[in-house]
Amino acid sequence: MIAHTTLPVSDYKKSKAFYTQALAPLGYKNNMEFGEAAGFNDGKNTDFWIVYMNTVIPIHLAFEANNQKEVEAFYHTALAAGATDNGSPGYRDYWAGYYAAFVYDLDGHNIEAVWYDYGKVN
């Protein structure tokens, strides 16, 4: 129901490179650019954008993965791209099938990849 969202970043070029690499395991590709704003498409819609801003207040943003391997690939790829660990891949106490990984991006945004493992839910 959210068509797209925009995340403010303090270093556009570094953040664009980071998200291009970190979101690849989730099927995202950078497909649009306007000035210092870049859009990322998941094969259906350009639903994630980054834009340069003078002031950045870190937020939490979660991307849905298709399976456990995508969550793990996102986590390891994001760390290799410069993210900081904020929770390695694993099931969470939120509910039985919530499998997620968390990283802090270059601006301290808490970025998550989550897969809903309905096979674990009774």
Side-chain angles (χ1 to χ4, degrees):
M1 312 191 304
I2 295 174
H4 55 270
T5 191
T6 302
L7 191 69
V9 298
S10 63
D11 187 319
Y12 175 72
K13 287 183 182 181
K14 286 183 181 178
S15 291
K16 180 182 169 196
F18 170 79
Y19 280 104
T20 297
Q21 185 176 345
L23 296 180
L26 302 177
Y28 276 86
K29 293 184 174 142
N30 172 229
N31 70 316
M32 298 179 82
E33 189 166 19
F34 297 101
E36 289 190 299
F40 295 81
N41 184 294
D42 65 354
K44 295 179 262 181
N45 182 28
T46 305
D47 57 7
F48 175 65
W49 287 81
I50 60 167
V51 64
Y52 169 76
M53 299 288 285
N54 286 326
T55 302
V56 174
I57 298 171
I59 65 166
H60 172 69
L61 184 62
F63 291 90
E64 187 173 355
N66 291 311
N67 54 54
Q68 180 176 336
K69 288 186 181 209
E70 281 189 6
V71 171
E72 293 166 358
F74 158 80
Y75 175 77
H76 294 294
T77 303
L79 292 178
T84 304
D85 172 51
N86 189 32
S88 61
Y91 288 100
R92 302 296 191 243
D93 293 336
Y94 312 140
W95 61 273
Y98 199 101
Y99 189 88
F102 302 82
V103 298
Y104 290 120
D105 78 353
L106 307 177
D107 286 299
H109 295 295
N110 180 16
I111 308 300
E112 172 185 1
V114 57
W115 170 55
Y116 302 109
D117 180 2
Y118 294 105
K120 295 278 280 184
V121 179
N122 295 330

